Amino acid sequence: MPIVRPYVRSDGTPVRGHTRWAPGARREMTVFAVFCLAVLGFGDTSTVDGTDSQPPTPSVTYPIRFDHTTNDAPRVAVPHPTVSYPIRFDTPTPRTAAPAPSVSYPIDLSALGGGR
């Protein structure tokens, strides 16, 4: 949305600062608003054919409690691999030590004989 700063016209009329819609934005906002109202109007699914529908009944009772302990009851399901072939992972090789620098820093360029 363009912002117009206060200015004075060539005939001396002062114009206050204001905002202005971009070209075509008013039509686009109207289409968007009509679409949103249509979604809100048609999106209400609480009634079907004019009668109230029953809400779905949950198949789970809350709170969920695990009454057995893992030490008392034997495991019924035994985990097994999902593939029949072995999966090999690359083992990392040991890293070699970084070489020691052969130059002691700072380098004295005057010792090289270059006169800059």
Side-chain angles (χ1 to χ4, degrees):
M1 184 180 306
I3 298 172
V4 179
R5 294 191 180 115
Y7 65 96
V8 178
R9 292 185 180 162
S10 60
D11 63 352
T13 307
V15 178
R16 293 187 311 182
H18 59 281
T19 57
R20 180 175 58 205
W21 287 66
R26 195 173 304 266
R27 179 185 177 280
E28 293 294 325
M29 184 57 81
T30 303
V31 169
F32 180 70
V34 168
F35 176 76
C36 289
L37 289 174
V39 167
L40 288 174
F42 292 120
D44 185 20
T45 58
S46 64
T47 61
V48 178
D49 298 332
T51 60
D52 288 335
S53 62
Q54 295 292 330
T57 57
S59 61
V60 179
T61 57
Y62 291 99
I64 298 175
R65 298 186 191 279
F66 298 100
D67 295 332
H68 66 281
T69 62
T70 57
N71 295 336
D72 296 340
R75 290 189 74 143
V76 177
V78 177
H80 59 281
T82 57
V83 295
S84 61
Y85 53 89
I87 299 174
R88 294 192 178 120
F89 297 99
D90 295 335
T91 55
T93 57
R95 299 178 93 183
T96 58
S102 60
V103 179
S104 61
Y105 292 96
I107 299 173
D108 186 14
L109 295 177
S110 65
L112 297 176
R116 295 187 189 193

PDB file of all heavy atoms in Angstrom, residues 41-71:
ATOM      1  N   GLY A  41     -19.796 -19.372   5.114  1.00  0.00           N
ATOM      2  CA  GLY A  41     -21.214 -19.711   4.951  1.00  0.00           C
ATOM      3  C   GLY A  41     -21.425 -21.173   4.635  1.00  0.00           C
ATOM      4  O   GLY A  41     -22.325 -21.823   5.171  1.00  0.00           O
ATOM      5  N   PHE A  42     -20.611 -21.744   3.751  1.00  0.00           N
ATOM      6  CA  PHE A  42     -20.785 -23.132   3.353  1.00  0.00           C
ATOM      7  C   PHE A  42     -20.001 -24.096   4.232  1.00  0.00           C
ATOM      8  O   PHE A  42     -20.203 -25.300   4.160  1.00  0.00           O
ATOM      9  CB  PHE A  42     -20.345 -23.328   1.896  1.00  0.00           C
ATOM     10  CG  PHE A  42     -21.253 -22.641   0.911  1.00  0.00           C
ATOM     11  CD1 PHE A  42     -20.745 -21.673   0.074  1.00  0.00           C
ATOM     12  CD2 PHE A  42     -22.589 -22.961   0.835  1.00  0.00           C
ATOM     13  CE1 PHE A  42     -21.562 -21.032  -0.830  1.00  0.00           C
ATOM     14  CE2 PHE A  42     -23.415 -22.329  -0.064  1.00  0.00           C
ATOM     15  CZ  PHE A  42     -22.898 -21.358  -0.898  1.00  0.00           C
ATOM     16  N   GLY A  43     -19.123 -23.601   5.064  1.00  0.00           N
ATOM     17  CA  GLY A  43     -18.262 -24.459   5.861  1.00  0.00           C
ATOM     18  C   GLY A  43     -18.906 -25.010   7.110  1.00  0.00           C
ATOM     19  O   GLY A  43     -18.329 -25.854   7.774  1.00  0.00           O
ATOM     20  N   ASP A  44     -20.112 -24.573   7.467  1.00  0.00           N
ATOM     21  CA  ASP A  44     -20.762 -25.051   8.679  1.00  0.00           C
ATOM     22  C   ASP A  44     -21.360 -26.424   8.406  1.00  0.00           C
ATOM     23  O   ASP A  44     -22.328 -26.557   7.669  1.00  0.00           O
ATOM     24  CB  ASP A  44     -21.846 -24.069   9.116  1.00  0.00           C
ATOM     25  CG  ASP A  44     -22.471 -24.474  10.432  1.00  0.00           C
ATOM     26  OD1 ASP A  44     -21.837 -25.249  11.170  1.00  0.00           O
ATOM     27  OD2 ASP A  44     -23.589 -24.017  10.717  1.00  0.00           O
ATOM     28  N   THR A  45     -20.776 -27.473   8.991  1.00  0.00           N
ATOM     29  CA  THR A  45     -21.247 -28.838   8.748  1.00  0.00           C
ATOM     30  C   THR A  45     -21.967 -29.413   9.962  1.00  0.00           C
ATOM     31  O   THR A  45     -22.081 -30.625  10.093  1.00  0.00           O
ATOM     32  CB  THR A  45     -20.054 -29.748   8.394  1.00  0.00           C
ATOM     33  OG1 THR A  45     -19.119 -29.703   9.461  1.00  0.00           O
ATOM     34  CG2 THR A  45     -19.408 -29.315   7.093  1.00  0.00           C
ATOM     35  N   SER A  46     -22.458 -28.564  10.847  1.00  0.00           N
ATOM     36  CA  SER A  46     -23.132 -29.094  12.037  1.00  0.00           C
ATOM     37  C   SER A  46     -24.497 -29.646  11.702  1.00  0.00           C
ATOM     38  O   SER A  46     -25.031 -30.463  12.436  1.00  0.00           O
ATOM     39  CB  SER A  46     -23.244 -28.011  13.112  1.00  0.00           C
ATOM     40  OG  SER A  46     -24.074 -26.965  12.647  1.00  0.00           O
ATOM     41  N   THR A  47     -25.106 -29.241  10.613  1.00  0.00           N
ATOM     42  CA  THR A  47     -26.414 -29.765  10.236  1.00  0.00           C
ATOM     43  C   THR A  47     -26.325 -30.371   8.851  1.00  0.00           C
ATOM     44  O   THR A  47     -25.639 -29.871   7.967  1.00  0.00           O
ATOM     45  CB  THR A  47     -27.485 -28.658  10.231  1.00  0.00           C
ATOM     46  OG1 THR A  47     -27.109 -27.660   9.282  1.00  0.00           O
ATOM     47  CG2 THR A  47     -27.643 -28.026  11.589  1.00  0.00           C
ATOM     48  N   VAL A  48     -27.009 -31.496   8.695  1.00  0.00           N
ATOM     49  CA  VAL A  48     -27.102 -32.157   7.397  1.00  0.00           C
ATOM     50  C   VAL A  48     -28.582 -32.321   7.089  1.00  0.00           C
ATOM     51  O   VAL A  48     -29.320 -32.919   7.857  1.00  0.00           O
ATOM     52  CB  VAL A  48     -26.391 -33.537   7.428  1.00  0.00           C
ATOM     53  CG1 VAL A  48     -26.543 -34.238   6.090  1.00  0.00           C
ATOM     54  CG2 VAL A  48     -24.945 -33.368   7.801  1.00  0.00           C
ATOM     55  N   ASP A  49     -29.030 -31.785   5.986  1.00  0.00           N
ATOM     56  CA  ASP A  49     -30.438 -31.820   5.573  1.00  0.00           C
ATOM     57  C   ASP A  49     -31.352 -31.185   6.626  1.00  0.00           C
ATOM     58  O   ASP A  49     -32.478 -31.618   6.824  1.00  0.00           O
ATOM     59  CB  ASP A  49     -30.897 -33.257   5.292  1.00  0.00           C
ATOM     60  CG  ASP A  49     -30.123 -33.886   4.151  1.00  0.00           C
ATOM     61  OD1 ASP A  49     -29.662 -33.116   3.275  1.00  0.00           O
ATOM     62  OD2 ASP A  49     -29.979 -35.115   4.129  1.00  0.00           O
ATOM     63  N   GLY A  50     -30.862 -30.181   7.314  1.00  0.00           N
ATOM     64  CA  GLY A  50     -31.682 -29.461   8.272  1.00  0.00           C
ATOM     65  C   GLY A  50     -31.785 -30.113   9.628  1.00  0.00           C
ATOM     66  O   GLY A  50     -32.456 -29.594  10.503  1.00  0.00           O
ATOM     67  N   THR A  51     -31.171 -31.275   9.836  1.00  0.00           N
ATOM     68  CA  THR A  51     -31.229 -31.939  11.138  1.00  0.00           C
ATOM     69  C   THR A  51     -29.845 -31.929  11.743  1.00  0.00           C
ATOM     70  O   THR A  51     -28.841 -31.976  11.051  1.00  0.00           O
ATOM     71  CB  THR A  51     -31.720 -33.390  11.001  1.00  0.00           C
ATOM     72  OG1 THR A  51     -30.804 -34.089  10.164  1.00  0.00           O
ATOM     73  CG2 THR A  51     -33.112 -33.431  10.399  1.00  0.00           C
ATOM     74  N   ASP A  52     -29.799 -31.878  13.048  1.00  0.00           N
ATOM     75  CA  ASP A  52     -28.511 -31.898  13.742  1.00  0.00           C
ATOM     76  C   ASP A  52     -27.910 -33.293  13.653  1.00  0.00           C
ATOM     77  O   ASP A  52     -28.575 -34.293  13.907  1.00  0.00           O
ATOM     78  CB  ASP A  52     -28.667 -31.501  15.210  1.00  0.00           C
ATOM     79  CG  ASP A  52     -28.963 -30.021  15.365  1.00  0.00           C
ATOM     80  OD1 ASP A  52     -28.590 -29.264  14.453  1.00  0.00           O
ATOM     81  OD2 ASP A  52     -29.562 -29.639  16.381  1.00  0.00           O
ATOM     82  N   SER A  53     -26.653 -33.369  13.289  1.00  0.00           N
ATOM     83  CA  SER A  53     -25.969 -34.659  13.226  1.00  0.00           C
ATOM     84  C   SER A  53     -25.295 -34.927  14.566  1.00  0.00           C
ATOM     85  O   SER A  53     -24.917 -34.024  15.289  1.00  0.00           O
ATOM     86  CB  SER A  53     -24.951 -34.674  12.092  1.00  0.00           C
ATOM     87  OG  SER A  53     -23.968 -33.687  12.332  1.00  0.00           O
ATOM     88  N   GLN A  54     -25.123 -36.201  14.870  1.00  0.00           N
ATOM     89  CA  GLN A  54     -24.503 -36.593  16.131  1.00  0.00           C
ATOM     90  C   GLN A  54     -22.989 -36.455  16.007  1.00  0.00           C
ATOM     91  O   GLN A  54     -22.422 -36.816  14.980  1.00  0.00           O
ATOM     92  CB  GLN A  54     -24.863 -38.042  16.476  1.00  0.00           C
ATOM     93  CG  GLN A  54     -26.339 -38.247  16.734  1.00  0.00           C
ATOM     94  CD  GLN A  54     -26.775 -37.556  18.005  1.00  0.00           C
ATOM     95  OE1 GLN A  54     -25.995 -37.412  18.945  1.00  0.00           O
ATOM     96  NE2 GLN A  54     -28.024 -37.117  18.044  1.00  0.00           N
ATOM     97  N   PRO A  55     -22.316 -35.966  17.023  1.00  0.00           N
ATOM     98  CA  PRO A  55     -20.856 -35.914  16.969  1.00  0.00           C
ATOM     99  C   PRO A  55     -20.295 -37.328  17.033  1.00  0.00           C
ATOM    100  O   PRO A  55     -20.914 -38.226  17.606  1.00  0.00           O
ATOM    101  CB  PRO A  55     -20.478 -35.103  18.199  1.00  0.00           C
ATOM    102  CG  PRO A  55     -21.619 -35.253  19.134  1.00  0.00           C
ATOM    103  CD  PRO A  55     -22.844 -35.421  18.267  1.00  0.00           C
ATOM    104  N   PRO A  56     -19.153 -37.566  16.460  1.00  0.00           N
ATOM    105  CA  PRO A  56     -18.578 -38.913  16.499  1.00  0.00           C
ATOM    106  C   PRO A  56     -18.205 -39.304  17.923  1.00  0.00           C
ATOM    107  O   PRO A  56     -17.778 -38.480  18.719  1.00  0.00           O
ATOM    108  CB  PRO A  56     -17.335 -38.806  15.617  1.00  0.00           C
ATOM    109  CG  PRO A  56     -17.005 -37.355  15.597  1.00  0.00           C
ATOM    110  CD  PRO A  56     -18.300 -36.621  15.747  1.00  0.00           C
ATOM    111  N   THR A  57     -18.381 -40.572  18.230  1.00  0.00           N
ATOM    112  CA  THR A  57     -18.044 -41.050  19.568  1.00  0.00           C
ATOM    113  C   THR A  57     -16.584 -41.483  19.572  1.00  0.00           C
ATOM    114  O   THR A  57     -16.142 -42.180  18.656  1.00  0.00           O
ATOM    115  CB  THR A  57     -18.938 -42.233  19.972  1.00  0.00           C
ATOM    116  OG1 THR A  57     -18.795 -43.258  18.991  1.00  0.00           O
ATOM    117  CG2 THR A  57     -20.391 -41.799  20.056  1.00  0.00           C
ATOM    118  N   PRO A  58     -15.835 -41.094  20.585  1.00  0.00           N
ATOM    119  CA  PRO A  58     -14.416 -41.480  20.619  1.00  0.00           C
ATOM    120  C   PRO A  58     -14.276 -42.974  20.889  1.00  0.00           C
ATOM    121  O   PRO A  58     -15.043 -43.574  21.643  1.00  0.00           O
ATOM    122  CB  PRO A  58     -13.842 -40.647  21.764  1.00  0.00           C
ATOM    123  CG  PRO A  58     -15.006 -40.328  22.624  1.00  0.00           C
ATOM    124  CD  PRO A  58     -16.198 -40.246  21.710  1.00  0.00           C
ATOM    125  N   SER A  59     -13.291 -43.601  20.263  1.00  0.00           N
ATOM    126  CA  SER A  59     -13.052 -45.028  20.464  1.00  0.00           C
ATOM    127  C   SER A  59     -12.018 -45.292  21.557  1.00  0.00           C
ATOM    128  O   SER A  59     -11.681 -46.430  21.822  1.00  0.00           O
ATOM    129  CB  SER A  59     -12.583 -45.665  19.146  1.00  0.00           C
ATOM    130  OG  SER A  59     -11.386 -45.051  18.740  1.00  0.00           O
ATOM    131  N   VAL A  60     -11.522 -44.236  22.190  1.00  0.00           N
ATOM    132  CA  VAL A  60     -10.497 -44.354  23.215  1.00  0.00           C
ATOM    133  C   VAL A  60     -11.012 -43.714  24.489  1.00  0.00           C
ATOM    134  O   VAL A  60     -11.690 -42.697  24.458  1.00  0.00           O
ATOM    135  CB  VAL A  60      -9.202 -43.643  22.755  1.00  0.00           C
ATOM    136  CG1 VAL A  60      -8.138 -43.730  23.823  1.00  0.00           C
ATOM    137  CG2 VAL A  60      -8.719 -44.207  21.448  1.00  0.00           C
ATOM    138  N   THR A  61     -10.707 -44.333  25.617  1.00  0.00           N
ATOM    139  CA  THR A  61     -11.070 -43.729  26.898  1.00  0.00           C
ATOM    140  C   THR A  61      -9.836 -43.065  27.490  1.00  0.00           C
ATOM    141  O   THR A  61      -8.759 -43.662  27.511  1.00  0.00           O
ATOM    142  CB  THR A  61     -11.611 -44.783  27.877  1.00  0.00           C
ATOM    143  OG1 THR A  61     -10.636 -45.793  28.038  1.00  0.00           O
ATOM    144  CG2 THR A  61     -12.908 -45.389  27.361  1.00  0.00           C
ATOM    145  N   TYR A  62      -9.989 -41.877  27.912  1.00  0.00           N
ATOM    146  CA  TYR A  62      -8.884 -41.113  28.481  1.00  0.00           C
ATOM    147  C   TYR A  62      -9.070 -40.999  29.975  1.00  0.00           C
ATOM    148  O   TYR A  62     -10.193 -40.948  30.438  1.00  0.00           O
ATOM    149  CB  TYR A  62      -8.822 -39.722  27.857  1.00  0.00           C
ATOM    150  CG  TYR A  62      -8.414 -39.766  26.410  1.00  0.00           C
ATOM    151  CD1 TYR A  62      -9.367 -39.693  25.409  1.00  0.00           C
ATOM    152  CD2 TYR A  62      -7.087 -39.904  26.045  1.00  0.00           C
ATOM    153  CE1 TYR A  62      -8.997 -39.739  24.078  1.00  0.00           C
ATOM    154  CE2 TYR A  62      -6.715 -39.946  24.720  1.00  0.00           C
ATOM    155  CZ  TYR A  62      -7.672 -39.869  23.734  1.00  0.00           C
ATOM    156  OH  TYR A  62      -7.289 -39.917  22.439  1.00  0.00           O
ATOM    157  N   PRO A  63      -8.066 -40.888  30.801  1.00  0.00           N
ATOM    158  CA  PRO A  63      -6.647 -40.958  30.494  1.00  0.00           C
ATOM    159  C   PRO A  63      -6.224 -42.392  30.206  1.00  0.00           C
ATOM    160  O   PRO A  63      -6.789 -43.343  30.724  1.00  0.00           O
ATOM    161  CB  PRO A  63      -5.961 -40.423  31.740  1.00  0.00           C
ATOM    162  CG  PRO A  63      -6.901 -40.753  32.847  1.00  0.00           C
ATOM    163  CD  PRO A  63      -8.286 -40.660  32.234  1.00  0.00           C
ATOM    164  N   ILE A  64      -5.216 -42.544  29.386  1.00  0.00           N
ATOM    165  CA  ILE A  64      -4.684 -43.856  29.048  1.00  0.00           C
ATOM    166  C   ILE A  64      -3.750 -44.295  30.169  1.00  0.00           C
ATOM    167  O   ILE A  64      -2.855 -43.563  30.566  1.00  0.00           O
ATOM    168  CB  ILE A  64      -3.935 -43.796  27.702  1.00  0.00           C
ATOM    169  CG1 ILE A  64      -4.904 -43.407  26.597  1.00  0.00           C
ATOM    170  CG2 ILE A  64      -3.250 -45.115  27.409  1.00  0.00           C
ATOM    171  CD1 ILE A  64      -4.263 -43.196  25.261  1.00  0.00           C
ATOM    172  N   ARG A  65      -3.964 -45.505  30.673  1.00  0.00           N
ATOM    173  CA  ARG A  65      -3.146 -46.019  31.757  1.00  0.00           C
ATOM    174  C   ARG A  65      -2.542 -47.359  31.334  1.00  0.00           C
ATOM    175  O   ARG A  65      -3.219 -48.196  30.739  1.00  0.00           O
ATOM    176  CB  ARG A  65      -3.970 -46.214  33.017  1.00  0.00           C
ATOM    177  CG  ARG A  65      -4.573 -44.934  33.539  1.00  0.00           C
ATOM    178  CD  ARG A  65      -5.264 -45.194  34.870  1.00  0.00           C
ATOM    179  NE  ARG A  65      -6.070 -44.069  35.268  1.00  0.00           N
ATOM    180  CZ  ARG A  65      -5.607 -42.976  35.855  1.00  0.00           C
ATOM    181  NH1 ARG A  65      -4.331 -42.882  36.107  1.00  0.00           N
ATOM    182  NH2 ARG A  65      -6.407 -41.999  36.189  1.00  0.00           N
ATOM    183  N   PHE A  66      -1.284 -47.522  31.647  1.00  0.00           N
ATOM    184  CA  PHE A  66      -0.600 -48.780  31.416  1.00  0.00           C
ATOM    185  C   PHE A  66      -0.478 -49.474  32.762  1.00  0.00           C
ATOM    186  O   PHE A  66       0.358 -49.121  33.591  1.00  0.00           O
ATOM    187  CB  PHE A  66       0.779 -48.537  30.792  1.00  0.00           C
ATOM    188  CG  PHE A  66       0.697 -47.876  29.446  1.00  0.00           C
ATOM    189  CD1 PHE A  66       0.912 -46.514  29.305  1.00  0.00           C
ATOM    190  CD2 PHE A  66       0.388 -48.620  28.325  1.00  0.00           C
ATOM    191  CE1 PHE A  66       0.832 -45.908  28.078  1.00  0.00           C
ATOM    192  CE2 PHE A  66       0.313 -48.016  27.083  1.00  0.00           C
ATOM    193  CZ  PHE A  66       0.532 -46.658  26.951  1.00  0.00           C
ATOM    194  N   ASP A  67      -1.351 -50.457  32.985  1.00  0.00           N
ATOM    195  CA  ASP A  67      -1.411 -51.108  34.293  1.00  0.00           C
ATOM    196  C   ASP A  67      -0.324 -52.162  34.489  1.00  0.00           C
ATOM    197  O   ASP A  67       0.012 -52.512  35.603  1.00  0.00           O
ATOM    198  CB  ASP A  67      -2.781 -51.761  34.489  1.00  0.00           C
ATOM    199  CG  ASP A  67      -3.874 -50.705  34.547  1.00  0.00           C
ATOM    200  OD1 ASP A  67      -3.563 -49.565  34.967  1.00  0.00           O
ATOM    201  OD2 ASP A  67      -5.004 -51.000  34.156  1.00  0.00           O
ATOM    202  N   HIS A  68       0.234 -52.717  33.431  1.00  0.00           N
ATOM    203  CA  HIS A  68       1.257 -53.743  33.592  1.00  0.00           C
ATOM    204  C   HIS A  68       2.639 -53.085  33.568  1.00  0.00           C
ATOM    205  O   HIS A  68       2.832 -52.018  33.025  1.00  0.00           O
ATOM    206  CB  HIS A  68       1.154 -54.790  32.487  1.00  0.00           C
ATOM    207  CG  HIS A  68       1.467 -54.237  31.132  1.00  0.00           C
ATOM    208  ND1 HIS A  68       0.552 -53.511  30.407  1.00  0.00           N
ATOM    209  CD2 HIS A  68       2.599 -54.280  30.400  1.00  0.00           C
ATOM    210  CE1 HIS A  68       1.109 -53.140  29.261  1.00  0.00           C
ATOM    211  NE2 HIS A  68       2.340 -53.586  29.233  1.00  0.00           N
ATOM    212  N   THR A  69       3.566 -53.756  34.194  1.00  0.00           N
ATOM    213  CA  THR A  69       4.943 -53.275  34.181  1.00  0.00           C
ATOM    214  C   THR A  69       5.757 -54.173  33.271  1.00  0.00           C
ATOM    215  O   THR A  69       5.408 -55.335  33.025  1.00  0.00           O
ATOM    216  CB  THR A  69       5.550 -53.278  35.589  1.00  0.00           C
ATOM    217  OG1 THR A  69       5.557 -54.622  36.054  1.00  0.00           O
ATOM    218  CG2 THR A  69       4.767 -52.386  36.531  1.00  0.00           C
ATOM    219  N   THR A  70       6.867 -53.680  32.773  1.00  0.00           N
ATOM    220  CA  THR A  70       7.681 -54.451  31.843  1.00  0.00           C
ATOM    221  C   THR A  70       8.433 -55.582  32.539  1.00  0.00           C
ATOM    222  O   THR A  70       8.820 -56.546  31.896  1.00  0.00           O
ATOM    223  CB  THR A  70       8.691 -53.537  31.135  1.00  0.00           C
ATOM    224  OG1 THR A  70       9.479 -52.893  32.117  1.00  0.00           O
ATOM    225  CG2 THR A  70       7.983 -52.524  30.287  1.00  0.00           C
ATOM    226  N   ASN A  71       8.631 -55.513  33.840  1.00  0.00           N
ATOM    227  CA  ASN A  71       9.369 -56.569  34.535  1.00  0.00           C
ATOM    228  C   ASN A  71       8.489 -57.774  34.831  1.00  0.00           C
ATOM    229  O   ASN A  71       8.965 -58.896  34.885  1.00  0.00           O
ATOM    230  CB  ASN A  71       9.961 -56.048  35.848  1.00  0.00           C
ATOM    231  CG  ASN A  71      11.005 -54.973  35.592  1.00  0.00           C
ATOM    232  OD1 ASN A  71      11.585 -54.923  34.520  1.00  0.00           O
ATOM    233  ND2 ASN A  71      11.229 -54.135  36.578  1.00  0.00           N
TER     234      ASN A  71
END
